[in-house]
């Protein structure tokens, strides 16, 4: 039996090295000024479906499983670099994310040259895409890379056939249909402008050919820029194979140059996200008024009613009802829950819990299973226990409400004294009467009761009743003396009331009702 050579590479290591060698590099061009956006914010950071344009580009690139992603920055590069460094939802799966700087925007060829200055000469496939083409799918990039490799091309360009090619570079083919070059719209002849197959700005290159050809790209054109498109013609002249892959959907190559295009693309992308949810088993009653962000997930058999907006990483479980007129941002909604005409941000809504109508859940609100937050209730930084209810007209801030507890209408947890915030702790199966104020920090024990109208400033032991209100006084004849001739006085007389013989200088008998918890 032979002994393996421990000094040699393992099979696993060899496979990993092979995968690394075959993995492409993706270059994302994101240096443009975006002047038509008329904004201090870099164009690639403008949001679409809840995420910056650049987020969509990076996510599509990461799905190709590249060895590295190089983002070319220019205008507003500090803001873009900060976003890339801080975004926790890009999910590049460990792919190295590099930045290159294009100090002066001298064309797409110049931008890719800036990327190569950062990485050095690259071998294998280099995919080039753009930061302002958010509809481009990962599947399309994968198909481009696959065909580029299968055909042994030096350059493969992604194209599309569009009804109106104005503004796009045209793909010029020879008599046999082979691509020979790309002509920018401003440089195209009248005959070339009749071509409807256009350049997407997305390419696959052989790294060595790209490096060599970029050194030969000039700037003798209408814009005085170095066009990346010139690499195609240079490669062909050198005898390299050049190919083109038409995109299945022309919308994938559309870029964003101004806010009109941004809005149009938002509507188109939202329609696709809604359709995807519908095909996955979600009922959407009115797609025209339902908005979904790109990272939202909704499970089957959930119903979204008109005017619903699910934003910023919201997840909705199975069999829920959301809407109408509801916005959820960064929320988790568990199976069977219902949210009606409400706004929530950073909230967790448990199984079979109900919210609304007209509720406001702020960050840190947690509703456990079968709990209820009803009409005109605001909850912030609080946990509503299993089966507990806050039915209406209350504010619950920085509190823990135990299972099965009922909070009466008009209850306020007074959590802020002007300097610090304190918590309110309410045990399970407790009852707080209507129009009560609980001044934090305060603890109500399990099974305790608070009488309606109380202001509670001290802890209440388990099973105790807290009554914290002024004793009621009744002053007989006050209306007839102090509001003589008024409608109230006339009604009182009709009901048999008489003025007190002392002329109203004294107080009548006092009636003190038996304290009860309230409704």
């Amino acid at each position: 039996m032979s002994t393996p050579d421990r000094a040699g590479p393992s099979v696993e290591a060899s496979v990993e090295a092979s995968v690394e060698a075959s993995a492409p590099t993706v270059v994302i061009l994101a240096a443009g000024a975006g002047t038509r956006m008329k904004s201090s914010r870099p164009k690639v950071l403008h949001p679409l479906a809840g995420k910056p344009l650049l987020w969509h580009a990076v996510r599509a690139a990461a799905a190709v499983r590249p060895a590295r992603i190089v983002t070319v920055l220019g205008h507003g590069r500090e803001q873009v670099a900060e976003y890339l460094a801080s975004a926790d939802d890009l999910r590049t799966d460990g792919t190295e994310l590099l930045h290159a700087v294009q100090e002066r925007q001298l064309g797409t060829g110049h931008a890719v040259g800036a990327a190569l200055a950062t990485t050095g000469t690259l071998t294998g496939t280099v995919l080039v895409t753009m930061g302002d083409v958010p509809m481009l799918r990962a599947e399309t990039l994968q198909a481009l890379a696959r065909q580029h490799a299968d055909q042994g091309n030096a350059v493969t360009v992604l194209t599309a056939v569009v009804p109106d090619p104005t503004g796009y570079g045209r793909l010029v083919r020879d008599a046999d249909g082979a691509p020979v070059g790309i002509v920018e719209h401003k440089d195209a002849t009248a005959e070339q402008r009749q071509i409807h197959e256009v350049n997407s700005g997305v390419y696959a290159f052989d790294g060595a050919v790209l490096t060599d050809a970029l050194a030969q790209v000039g700037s003798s054109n209408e814009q005085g820029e170095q066009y990346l498109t010139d690499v195609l013609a240079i490669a062909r002249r050198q005898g390299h194979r050049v190919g083109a892959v038409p995109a299945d959907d022309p919308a994938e190559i559309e870029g964003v140059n101004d806010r009109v295009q941004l809005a149009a693309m938002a509507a188109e992308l939202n329609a696709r996200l809604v359709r995807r949810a519908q095909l996955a088993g979600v009922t959407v009653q009115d797609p025209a008024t339902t908005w979904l962000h790109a990272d939202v997930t909704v499970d089957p058999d959930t119903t979204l009613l008109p005017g619903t907006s699910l934003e910023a990483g919201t997840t909705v479980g199975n069999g829920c009802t959301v809407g109408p007129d509801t916005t959820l941002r960064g929320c988790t909604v568990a199976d069977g829950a219902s949210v009606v005409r409400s706004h929530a941000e950073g909230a967790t809504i448990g199984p079979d819990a109900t919210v609304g109508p007209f509720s406001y859940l702020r960050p840190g609100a947690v509703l456990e299973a079968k709990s209820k937050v009803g009409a005109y209730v605001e909850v912030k930084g609080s946990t509503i226990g299993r089966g507990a209810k806050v039915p209406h007209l209350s504010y619950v801030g920085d509190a823990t409400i135990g299972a099965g507890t009922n909070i009466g209408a008009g209850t306020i947890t007074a959590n802020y004294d002007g300097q610090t915030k304190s918590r309110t702790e309410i045990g399970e199966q407790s009852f707080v009467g209507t129009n009560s104020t609980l001044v934090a920090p305060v603890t109500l024990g399990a099974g305790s009761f608070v009488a309606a109208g109380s202001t509670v400033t001290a802890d209440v032991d388990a099973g105790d009743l807290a009554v914290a209100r002024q004793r009621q006084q009744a002053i007989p004849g006050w209306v007839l003396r102090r509001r003589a001739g008024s409608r109230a006085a006339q009604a009182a007389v009709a009901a048999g009331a008489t003025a007190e013989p002392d002329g109203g200088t004294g107080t009548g008998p006092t009636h003190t009702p038996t304290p009860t918890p309230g409704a």
Side-chain angles (χ1 to χ4, degrees):
M1 181 175 179
S2 63
T3 302
D5 181 5
R6 297 182 182 274
S10 67
V11 173
E12 291 82 358
S14 297
V15 170
E16 289 177 1
S18 175
V19 170
E20 174 65 21
S22 63
T25 292
V26 180
V27 176
I28 302 176
L29 307 184
T35 54
R36 281 180 279 177
M37 298 296 287
K38 300 188 185 304
S39 175
S40 59
R41 176 188 297 179
K43 179 172 69 171
V44 294
L45 295 186
H46 280 263
L48 180 77
K51 296 293 181 181
L53 296 174
L54 186 57
W55 179 91
H56 297 270
V58 172
R59 287 293 297 275
V64 182
R65 301 183 66 83
R68 64 193 63 80
I69 298 173
V70 185
T71 306
V72 181
L73 310 182
H75 177 75
R77 60 179 178 268
E78 295 84 3
Q79 296 179 58
V80 180
E82 181 181 357
Y83 165 72
L84 291 171
S86 62
D88 58 3
D89 58 351
L90 286 174
R91 291 189 300 203
T92 55
D93 298 323
T95 298
E96 184 180 18
L97 191 59
L98 303 176
H99 304 157
V101 175
Q102 186 186 21
E103 294 289 353
R104 299 173 60 199
Q105 282 71 67
L106 300 177
T108 50
H110 185 261
V112 174
L116 295 183
T118 297
T119 62
T121 301
L122 296 171
T123 59
T125 299
V126 178
L127 296 174
V128 176
T129 182
M130 295 181 291
D132 62 352
V133 184
M135 297 282 282
L136 182 65
R137 298 179 306 129
E139 293 84 351
T140 300
L141 271 180
Q142 290 165 341
L144 174 66
R146 185 168 52 251
Q147 185 162 327
H148 176 77
D150 291 347
Q151 295 182 352
N153 293 339
V155 182
T156 309
V157 57
L158 182 69
T159 67
V161 177
V162 297
D164 181 6
T166 303
Y168 286 99
R170 310 304 205 276
L171 181 74
V172 180
R173 295 179 180 268
D174 63 17
D176 296 325
V180 297
I182 296 170
V183 181
E184 296 298 322
H185 179 84
K186 291 183 178 181
D187 300 314
T189 65
E191 181 181 0
Q192 289 170 336
R193 291 186 180 187
Q194 300 305 309
I195 298 172
H196 284 255
E197 185 177 14
V198 300
N199 174 33
S200 68
V202 178
Y203 312 87
F205 295 101
D206 174 270
V209 173
L210 175 63
T211 302
D212 178 66
L214 281 177
Q216 304 176 50
V217 172
S219 57
S220 299
N221 50 62
E222 182 71 22
Q223 297 291 95
E225 296 180 348
Q226 294 175 308
Y227 291 156
L228 184 60
T229 52
D230 290 349
V231 172
L232 188 151
I234 293 171
R236 183 176 170 86
R237 286 199 305 269
Q238 293 176 341
H240 297 295
R241 183 180 175 88
V242 174
V245 178
D248 293 333
D249 182 0
E252 289 192 54
I253 74 164
E254 291 185 13
V256 174
N257 293 306
D258 56 38
R259 296 179 195 252
V260 174
Q261 291 177 333
L262 182 65
M265 191 166 291
E268 175 61 27
L269 179 54
N270 186 68
R272 296 182 183 212
L273 293 170
V274 169
R275 177 179 170 79
R276 184 176 71 183
Q278 291 173 306
L279 293 176
V282 178
T283 296
V284 182
Q285 285 199 351
D286 185 11
T289 62
T290 301
W291 287 82
L292 305 179
H293 279 182
D295 58 348
V296 162
T297 61
V298 186
D299 288 346
D301 291 324
T302 281
T303 297
L304 304 182
L305 298 175
T308 292
S309 181
L310 304 183
E311 304 176 358
T314 292
T315 63
V316 181
N318 185 280
C320 300
T321 300
V322 181
D325 305 325
T326 294
T327 298
L328 304 181
R329 180 177 297 118
C331 295
T332 299
V333 182
D335 295 350
S338 172
V339 186
V340 180
R341 281 196 169 89
S342 296
H343 184 100
E345 182 172 359
T348 301
I349 300 170
D352 300 310
T354 61
V355 179
F358 310 113
S359 301
Y360 180 25
L361 305 183
R362 293 168 57 190
V366 177
L367 279 62
E368 295 184 353
K370 298 184 179 180
S371 61
K372 175 180 180 178
V373 168
Y376 301 103
V377 172
E378 180 177 346
V379 180
K380 168 255 173 187
S382 300
T383 298
I384 313 299
R386 182 182 181 90
K389 298 178 180 179
V390 189
H392 33 218
L393 300 165
S394 296
Y395 170 70
V396 178
D398 300 314
T400 300
I401 298 176
T405 286
N406 186 88
I407 305 296
T411 295
I412 295 174
T413 59
N415 58 325
Y416 184 53
D417 65 4
Q419 290 184 316
T420 59
K421 292 185 178 180
S422 302
R423 293 196 63 83
T424 297
E425 304 288 337
I426 304 176
E428 63 182 25
Q429 303 300 329
S430 296
F431 184 96
V432 178
T434 60
N435 199 33
S436 294
T437 300
L438 311 178
V439 182
V442 70
T443 298
L444 310 184
S448 62
F449 275 55
V450 174
S454 293
T455 297
V456 178
T457 58
D459 292 351
V460 180
D461 291 337
D464 283 1
L465 167 66
V467 183
R469 60 193 181 202
Q470 187 178 10
R471 293 172 64 88
Q472 179 177 323
Q473 292 183 332
I475 303 175
W478 184 90
V479 171
L480 299 186
R481 295 191 303 275
R482 298 298 180 90
R483 298 291 185 268
S486 68
R487 293 181 180 179
Q490 293 170 18
V493 171
T498 59
E500 285 296 298
D502 64 3
T505 58
T507 59
T510 298
H511 169 64
T512 303
T514 301
T516 59

